[in-house]
Amino acid sequence: MLVYPSGVDVSSSALRFLSTKLRQRRRELGTRWRRLSAGRQALLTLAHLRNGHPYAQLATGFGIGTTTAYRYITEAVEVLAALAPTLADAARTASSKAFVLLDGTLLPIDRIAADRPYYSGKHKRHGMNVQVLADPFGRLLWASPALPGAVHDVRAAREHGIIDALAETGITCWADKGYRGVGRTVRTPCWGRWETLSTGQQAVNRSHAKIRALVEQAMATLKSWRLLRKLRCSTTRITGLIQAVLTLHLASSER
């Protein structure tokens, strides 16, 4: 396999943060020597998450075996996932905001037609449902564990306890029509076809759409990590990958 230089468009603060956590992990385990230093292991992981390169290509570029690359990346993802904020943490952060934005997205996965639980009728493809909370400026606050794509957004929000968590803090939440009927502090557009709505209802929906549009920035932030654009791993590992990406993003934005 040919090897060529490449780059990763991730801030150096993310590399330093992950390197520090991996060094702490090695001290806890009493590790004396490894093929890659903690810094190189961190870079390997960032290249995988950000660019979505497969293990074989990364292993060749870093001069290690494919199994070693898989083991190093898996370890780093577990370290990051353990540091991801919980919904309670996100709710506390959201309580200091004027309001929050809630939306769901589908992360495409590599599945066959027989895997019906993972097929989203809305998106017409297989994937995993992920709920996202963003602040009024569209900055990513929290991403939920992944559920099969067949799960509707409102059901996913209830299963994760998002509605109750936001209601307990009293924070107003803006969401689309997919969350109609949840009540509490969630605000959704007026229901019905545009032409059947009154002038006042149309004005409300236009204002609602302008506010809610900023959540797309949070979605773009999540999917800027190219591995999440087309997942080819086991569905049991996807939640850990999402939490790892969330941790890296929040750690970088705080610095």
Side-chain angles (χ1 to χ4, degrees):
M1 187 179 295
L2 299 177
V3 180
Y4 66 95
S6 184
V8 184
D9 57 339
V10 179
S11 67
S12 57
S13 61
L15 178 63
R16 290 194 298 270
F17 173 80
L18 181 52
S19 298
T20 299
K21 297 303 177 182
L22 290 174
R23 291 190 190 97
Q24 292 175 358
R25 167 85 171 188
R26 294 186 180 192
R27 285 196 295 269
E28 292 171 358
L29 296 177
T31 303
R32 294 185 178 181
W33 180 87
R34 291 195 183 186
R35 289 292 302 275
L36 296 182
S37 65
R40 294 287 287 173
Q41 182 182 359
L43 182 60
L44 171 72
T45 304
L46 291 177
H48 177 65
L49 294 175
R50 190 68 169 189
N51 295 334
H53 293 322
Y55 299 117
Q57 290 183 6
L58 291 170
T60 300
F62 280 80
I64 56 178
T66 303
T67 302
T68 303
Y70 172 83
R71 188 172 66 252
Y72 280 2
I73 292 172
T74 300
E75 179 187 40
V77 167
E78 290 175 352
V79 168
L80 290 170
L83 299 172
T86 64
L87 178 57
D89 296 331
R92 281 193 294 271
T93 302
S95 64
S96 63
K97 311 293 182 181
F99 59 86
V100 293
L101 307 170
L102 170 64
D103 202 0
T105 187
L106 187 82
L107 299 182
I109 60 173
D110 186 15
R111 283 293 181 273
I112 61 175
D115 293 322
R116 297 300 299 177
Y118 299 98
Y119 185 78
S120 170
K122 175 183 177 181
H123 298 275
K124 309 299 182 185
R125 64 192 307 177
H126 292 82
M128 302 295 287
N129 181 300
V130 177
Q131 300 294 299
V132 170
L133 285 176
D135 71 6
F137 299 98
R139 292 176 296 211
L140 181 63
L141 293 177
W142 181 76
S144 74
L147 292 175
V151 177
H152 195 273
D153 283 341
V154 66
R155 177 185 162 192
R158 284 175 172 148
E159 286 194 17
H160 294 309
I162 299 173
I163 309 303
D164 293 336
L166 295 177
E168 288 176 3
T169 61
I171 184 72
T172 301
C173 173
W174 297 80
D176 63 20
K177 293 180 180 179
Y179 299 88
R180 184 171 66 98
V182 297
R184 312 296 288 272
T185 59
V186 178
R187 302 289 182 266
T188 57
C190 298
W191 183 258
R193 293 181 179 275
W194 182 258
E195 59 273 12
T196 65
L197 298 177
S198 67
T199 302
Q201 289 175 324
Q202 291 179 355
V204 168
N205 281 9
R206 277 194 292 266
S207 177
H208 188 283
K210 289 179 181 179
I211 295 173
R212 228 198 98 264
L214 289 172
V215 76
E216 296 303 327
Q217 295 183 20
M219 297 297 187
T221 296
L222 191 65
K223 294 182 179 180
S224 65
W225 298 82
R226 298 176 186 85
L227 183 70
L228 300 183
R229 296 180 188 176
K230 183 66 174 181
L231 291 155
R232 294 179 172 82
C233 61
S234 169
T235 55
T236 59
R237 297 185 58 232
I238 294 176
T239 291
L241 293 171
I242 295 169
Q243 292 174 334
V245 165
L246 178 62
T247 298
L248 285 170
H249 168 70
L250 295 178
S252 300
S253 60
E254 290 174 356
R255 294 167 184 265

